[in-house]
Amino acid sequence: MKTMYGRQFATMVGMVLLSFLMLGASFATLSYQYTIREKKDTLERNARYIAQFTSDSVKSGGELVWQTMAFQSYLSSVAKVSDSHIIVTTPEGVIVYASSGDTALTGLQYAPLTQQMVNAILNGPFTGMTTLNGLYDEPRYLVGLPITTLVEGKDYLQGLVLVSCSASNISGVWRDLFAILLVTTVAVILIAAIISSVTSMRQSQPIKEIAAAARQFGLGRLDVRVDVGSRRDEVGELAEAFNAMADSLSKSEQRRSEFIANVSHELKTPMTSIAGFADGILDGTIPPDQERHYLQIISSETRRLSRLVRSMLDLSRLQSDERAAQQQFDICETLVRALVTLESKVNAKHLEVDAQLPQDEPVPVWGDQDAITQVCYNLLDNAIKFSQEGGVLGLGVTVKGAKATVTISNQGETIPPEEQQLIFDRFHKTDHSRSADRDGVGLGLYIVKTILNSHKENIICTSEDGVTKFIFTMTRA
């Protein structure tokens, strides 16, 4: 398995090697060119000095000047000081004198220069690497110049001078440069390896912890968290995001467990009643004159089960929708239609309807009309259910800025402040015995909250002095 450390170390080593290779190649090329140019200038300068000295000596001492001790001492000194070899030849290339500084040899020990070399020097100056046709065991860097004497305005060729140096001087620079680059590269790679190890371990440790926590999550342990510590980098953000996800999953699991428990309770109660009364009728426990009464209870419980299943299906559909459909409709007309649907319940409780709706013009809003109709229906049904006999059922729509505010109120028992924050929860009922509201399933207000959340709208509940109000907003079209 390729680890983060391995990939990071390989990348760092590759970058270091590539950088040093490019820098080394550039520096070596510049050094080589500088060394060659410096050697060439030095050898050419010495060759010109020797040529000028020879020319002046010929003028004053005759043609056999290179046989004099003064001339040979001069050449020997120049060769020793410049660490070079000096060769003097006749115009035809016959070597008459050669010196390496420590030794001076006569021309009888050397073969003459080739005509090609002579021509190259005469057309020169000549510069380059050569063994002088085997005279040297290894190639040397050589500069060759003609020796001329100016007599009555005309140059006369007196001979040739060749000054050379060992190529090992140049290769030595390359070897030293390579050694420096090699040592530096190894040192940098070692430092990079240490730094890379520390940084990789620091980066990979939280990721390993996240992976271990994820595996624990897979085993059902939702209480596992990653210790972020003081990290504020990308890995720290990842760990924080993982912890946030873990918290969300833990809460979702808790809500799921509560939901299952609530559903089980809501299903168990009517099913127990249905089964008990049905068994009582079948085995004769319930007298025949009371069978109709208990059959009505069974029918009521069956309808409550049906409403519960229908509400759960509606809730599942709402939660699966990604976003609410957007269409333009009149919120006042929608509210009135929902009220007309519940007319029989209003009349049954002898409620007085107080509608505070704009009369001049409609109030168009954006949203899913069917879903908002259900919101209005659920809120009105809830208000009617908990209204006191002969009380006032209030409806109101007001417009302010880009929002339309809908208010539905009723007169009845005041909802305690601690309950007002819980009434939109699933299966929540203000009567914890769940006996007063036997027709309800505890999902109506939760569905209202879910629909409005999908519309990015808000709803609040207020209850004081026996008047309870539900207020929600809609975006105006």
Side-chain angles (χ1 to χ4, degrees):
M1 180 179 65
K2 294 183 178 180
T3 62
M4 178 183 294
Y5 169 74
R7 289 193 296 267
Q8 184 171 348
F9 180 74
T11 302
M12 186 173 294
V13 169
M15 291 180 63
V16 169
L17 289 178
L18 181 61
S19 299
F20 273 88
L21 180 63
M22 296 176 65
L23 290 174
S26 301
F27 186 70
T29 301
L30 291 175
S31 300
Y32 177 78
Q33 293 177 352
Y34 175 79
T35 303
I36 291 297
R37 185 167 59 250
E38 188 71 17
K39 285 294 182 181
K40 175 185 174 183
D41 293 343
T42 301
L43 295 179
E44 189 171 346
R45 185 170 56 252
N46 292 338
R48 292 189 185 280
Y49 289 158
I50 295 171
Q52 184 63 43
F53 179 77
T54 304
S55 176
D56 294 341
S57 299
V58 168
K59 289 181 181 180
S60 60
E63 297 180 354
L64 300 179
V65 64
W66 45 76
Q67 294 181 357
T68 63
M69 290 296 297
F71 179 78
Q72 293 180 5
S73 296
Y74 173 75
L75 294 187
S76 178
S77 299
V78 172
K80 190 170 184 178
V81 170
S82 62
D83 191 22
S84 59
H85 287 188
I86 299 175
I87 297 176
V88 178
T89 72
T90 63
E92 294 77 20
V94 177
I95 298 175
V96 295
Y97 182 75
S99 176
S100 61
D102 294 330
T103 59
L105 303 175
T106 62
L108 299 177
Q109 295 175 281
Y110 298 98
L113 303 181
T114 63
Q115 189 60 42
Q116 181 180 4
M117 177 61 70
V118 172
N119 293 336
I121 295 174
L122 293 177
N123 295 327
F126 169 83
T127 58
M129 301 289 291
T130 179
T131 61
L132 281 181
N133 199 25
L135 179 63
Y136 297 119
D137 295 333
E138 58 182 15
R140 296 173 64 88
Y141 192 79
L142 183 142
V143 174
L145 291 173
I147 302 174
T148 59
T149 303
L150 181 63
V151 180
E152 296 180 356
K154 187 176 182 180
D155 288 331
Y156 289 92
L157 181 64
Q158 299 296 330
L160 307 175
V161 57
L162 294 85
V163 182
S164 65
C165 68
S166 174
S168 60
N169 294 337
I170 301 175
S171 61
V173 175
W174 280 67
R175 286 193 299 270
D176 294 341
L177 178 62
F178 178 77
I180 293 173
L181 286 175
L182 180 61
V183 172
T184 305
T185 302
V186 172
V188 171
I189 289 177
L190 290 176
I191 296 173
I194 296 174
I195 296 176
S196 177
S197 299
V198 175
T199 56
S200 295
M201 290 178 61
R202 177 172 172 78
Q203 291 177 359
S204 61
Q205 185 61 34
I207 297 178
K208 291 180 179 179
E209 293 179 4
I210 293 174
R215 285 190 288 268
Q216 294 296 319
F217 261 65
L219 298 176
R221 293 187 56 189
L222 302 183
D223 58 337
V224 179
R225 299 294 183 270
V226 179
D227 184 13
V228 179
S230 61
R231 296 188 69 108
R232 292 296 179 267
D233 54 5
E234 291 82 355
V235 177
E237 292 181 2
L238 175 62
E240 290 180 353
F242 181 87
N243 289 339
M245 179 198 69
D247 292 338
S248 178
L249 288 175
S250 181
K251 291 178 181 178
S252 297
E253 177 64 19
Q254 182 179 359
R255 287 194 297 268
R256 185 186 68 85
S257 300
E258 293 175 355
F259 179 77
I260 293 175
N262 290 330
V263 169
S264 300
H265 183 277
E266 293 295 333
L267 291 176
K268 180 178 67 175
T269 302
M271 291 178 66
T272 301
S273 299
I274 292 172
F277 294 147
D279 290 341
I281 293 173
L282 291 176
D283 60 18
T285 303
I286 296 176
D289 58 337
Q290 296 183 9
E291 287 182 358
R292 181 176 181 82
H293 170 69
Y294 287 103
L295 286 174
Q296 289 177 344
I297 295 177
I298 291 174
S299 176
S300 175
E301 293 297 305
T302 303
R303 284 194 297 271
R304 191 156 78 93
L305 276 177
S306 177
R307 287 194 300 273
L308 175 61
V309 172
R310 218 170 27 246
S311 297
M312 292 175 62
L313 291 176
D314 290 341
L315 183 59
S316 177
R317 176 182 58 82
L318 290 173
Q319 291 178 337
S320 63
D321 289 342
E322 293 184 358
R323 61 187 183 91
Q326 294 293 312
Q327 63 186 99
Q328 183 177 332
F329 62 94
D330 183 7
I331 186 62
C332 296
E333 180 183 356
T334 301
L335 186 60
V336 170
R337 285 183 179 179
L339 178 62
V340 171
T341 306
L342 296 166
E343 183 178 3
S344 60
K345 293 186 177 182
V346 173
N347 295 332
K349 277 204 168 184
H350 307 96
L351 300 178
E352 178 184 347
V353 178
D354 180 18
Q356 302 291 331
L357 304 177
Q359 301 296 325
D360 299 335
E361 57 185 10
V363 181
V365 295
W366 285 105
D368 185 342
Q369 186 173 10
D370 293 338
I372 300 301
T373 299
Q374 185 174 1
V375 168
C376 296
Y377 181 91
N378 287 2
L379 290 176
L380 287 170
D381 183 60
N382 186 77
I384 295 169
K385 184 186 304 180
F386 293 100
S387 291
Q388 64 185 17
E389 187 78 17
V392 178
L393 177 66
L395 310 177
V397 175
T398 59
V399 175
K400 184 177 180 180
K403 293 290 185 179
T405 303
V406 180
T407 303
I408 298 175
S409 63
N410 71 297
Q411 295 177 339
E413 294 185 6
T414 301
I415 302 176
E418 62 274 11
E419 294 286 344
Q420 294 178 20
Q421 303 298 324
L422 304 174
I423 57 177
F424 294 105
D425 292 348
R426 285 177 295 193
F427 298 109
H428 179 78
K429 296 181 181 181
T430 54
D431 179 13
H432 294 283
S433 67
R434 300 179 182 265
S435 59
D437 181 18
R438 295 190 58 84
D439 291 335
V441 296
L443 288 175
L445 293 181
Y446 180 76
I447 291 175
V448 168
K449 182 74 171 179
T450 302
I451 292 175
L452 291 176
N453 284 344
S454 69
H455 283 72
K456 303 295 187 294
E457 302 293 348
N458 297 319
I459 182 171
I460 60 174
C461 172
T462 64
S463 183
E464 55 185 10
D465 300 330
V467 178
T468 300
K469 295 181 180 180
F470 287 89
I471 305 169
F472 68 92
T473 59
M474 292 296 297
T475 302
R476 293 181 61 191

